[in-house]
């Protein structure tokens, strides 16, 4: 990654692409959710809903894993564009503190973008709706690995 | 684990407990989904729905991770009963093949049940609705870790 | 993996290959250490030495990770032969019980052997020198991922 | 982690402690190897030796995992002092680029220090002997989990 690449899709392009190929998920890729989307970095904000909660008003693990997946997939798609096929091959997550919301902030950092493999590093924390999360005390951290190939 | 314990909850008790404390998830813990639930082992069957699919008729990663979570949580709850608090502290998953369904079969094996830590090993594969999966060629494998404590 | 492949290297061929390209490690690949080496499965036995012990006569984590690496690398090399390049891309390990020896038994099961990716599942337990380990209560479990390519 | 704690052991205290309880490893905990050791952060430098190399002049995976283990264990010991027992319960590592040396720089960040669980996040890269590593392009990243208890 010596040279900073230009993104092939911005947040609107990303949303358009998902709406076309995977309409059921278009809300998850709403452009308003991306506080930042730039080379090697994405910050995604997610307002917790009642469906995400476990007993004790804790956000469920599957919701956290889904956020890690969305943020890292968004970042890779933004880099590679719609001609690429990126398939998740591995995810490893540690849950560190009770995730409380009301907004979950998920940072994805792309630490490897090779020809056949991409890896992103995820940090998730809670924030009030408009404010900054305290990511020095994250609620979860994860590493996500993708296998890459060209569709055409 | 030298002595085989008796389960504190069977599949009906498990369903009753979840229905009470977490009614939104009671369908996921439907007793009919457990093909087996015995000491140290659980086999959970899940009929894939349209919502679970990604483009290419592939089951999405978050659906797979959710299955790993449900099967291992069920197995630990069955062992510990409703007086225990089990919190997921880590999950590591490898996606090996395209998961196709129509039914996903998720095996959870409890390889550690200590006083403060439990670990289960997950194997997921596809099957026709009534038939056996080919778990020698799994679609995903995962390890899930729980921190345990007593509620009362 | 519908058809069972023939191994391209047996334990002697494996040892010969390592002795040639990586002489410093030839002892680790001593044929006598492989109790089994067959398609999709390898059982490797390792006699614990004083250097492997932490305070408390516990085998150190790095020794356990090294065993997982040797057993899974052996299994993949045996399948692919010396024309292949297999690079470890990820390893995830859970330490479950105090590993005591005097012999550590490390089972590797190859759950995926694709064109560009291979994944093995590791189970480690202790045994008396000539006897069977109790792998129903493993001391560590791991998943190891390799990126594959052809050298020639 | 709202309040910044004082470390109970500095690099000399750490070295003294290891020399006493685990003399075989005292070189690995040489105070000169710690470029930084402060609350929640440790930077450890390791000069690669011939024994660490695989064919192709690549540092072996087990060496990388050992570094992750030393740096995170040092950081936790420094926080908890010699009255604590910290046992590694899990490690997950992704190998991203060929590690070349001649010095490996391993950063450990303590992202969770609870009563029963600690988690550190590891970043490893290469550097010339006296210079800074380029950790924006890490050679490996890892998460390491410890179970904590008091010895006395």
């Amino acid at each position: 990654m010596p040279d900073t690449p230009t993104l092939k899709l911005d947040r609107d392009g990303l949303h358009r692409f998902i709406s076309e190929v995977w309409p059921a998920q278009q809300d998850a890729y709403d452009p308003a959710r991306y506080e930042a989307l730039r080379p090697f970095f994405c910050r995604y904000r997610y307002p917790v809903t009642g469906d995400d909660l476990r007993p004790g008003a804790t956000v469920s693990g599957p919701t956290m894993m889904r956020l890690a997946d969305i943020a890292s997939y968004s970042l890779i798609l933004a880099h590679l564009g719609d001609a690429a096929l990126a398939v998740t091959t591995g995810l490893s997550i540690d849950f560190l503190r009770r995730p409380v919301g009301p907004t979950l902030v998920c940072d994805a950092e792309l630490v490897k973008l090779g020809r056949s493999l991409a890896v992103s590093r995820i940090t998730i924390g809670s924030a009030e709706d408009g404010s900054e999360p305290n990511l020095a005390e994250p609620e979860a951290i994860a590493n996500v690995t993708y296998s890459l190939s060209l569709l055409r």
Side-chain angles (χ1 to χ4, degrees), chain A residues 4-26:
Chain A
T4 298
T6 311
L7 294 185
K8 290 205 174 129
L9 293 171
D10 63 9
R11 62 199 86 188
D12 290 317
L14 198 59
H15 185 236
R16 214 150 40 222
F17 174 67
I18 294 289
S19 301
E20 192 181 307
V21 299
W22 201 9
Q25 288 295 316
Q26 60 180 307

Side-chain angles (χ1 to χ4, degrees), chain A residues 9-141:
Chain A
L9 293 171
D10 63 9
R11 62 199 86 188
D12 290 317
L14 198 59
H15 185 236
R16 214 150 40 222
F17 174 67
I18 294 289
S19 301
E20 192 181 307
V21 299
W22 201 9
Q25 288 295 316
Q26 60 180 307
D27 287 356
Y29 292 82
D30 182 336
R33 292 204 178 162
Y34 298 86
E35 187 180 323
L37 180 62
R38 59 174 185 262
F40 304 126
F41 182 76
C42 166
R43 172 166 285 183
Y44 179 88
R45 296 181 79 100
Y46 175 75
V48 174
T49 73
D51 286 354
D52 301 310
L53 296 178
R54 296 181 59 133
T58 300
V59 178
S60 77
T63 292
M64 306 290 278
M65 295 188 271
R66 196 169 150 262
L67 290 186
D69 186 72
I70 293 171
S72 54
Y73 187 57
S74 297
L75 185 53
I76 286 173
L77 266 185
H79 277 269
L80 298 180
D82 55 11
L85 187 66
V87 176
T88 313
T89 51
L91 180 146
S92 170
I93 188 166
D94 288 288
F95 300 99
L96 307 176
R97 295 173 178 82
R98 207 165 68 87
V100 291
T103 292
L104 289 173
V105 177
C106 179
D107 281 5
E109 185 193 355
L110 193 59
V111 290
K112 164 83 175 181
L113 181 60
R115 266 174 311 174
S116 60
L117 201 73
V119 180
S120 73
R121 209 169 192 179
I122 298 291
T123 310
I124 304 177
S126 286
E128 294 301 313
D129 282 352
S131 63
E132 291 298 292
N134 173 12
L135 293 181
E137 297 180 25
E139 291 164 353
I141 58 174

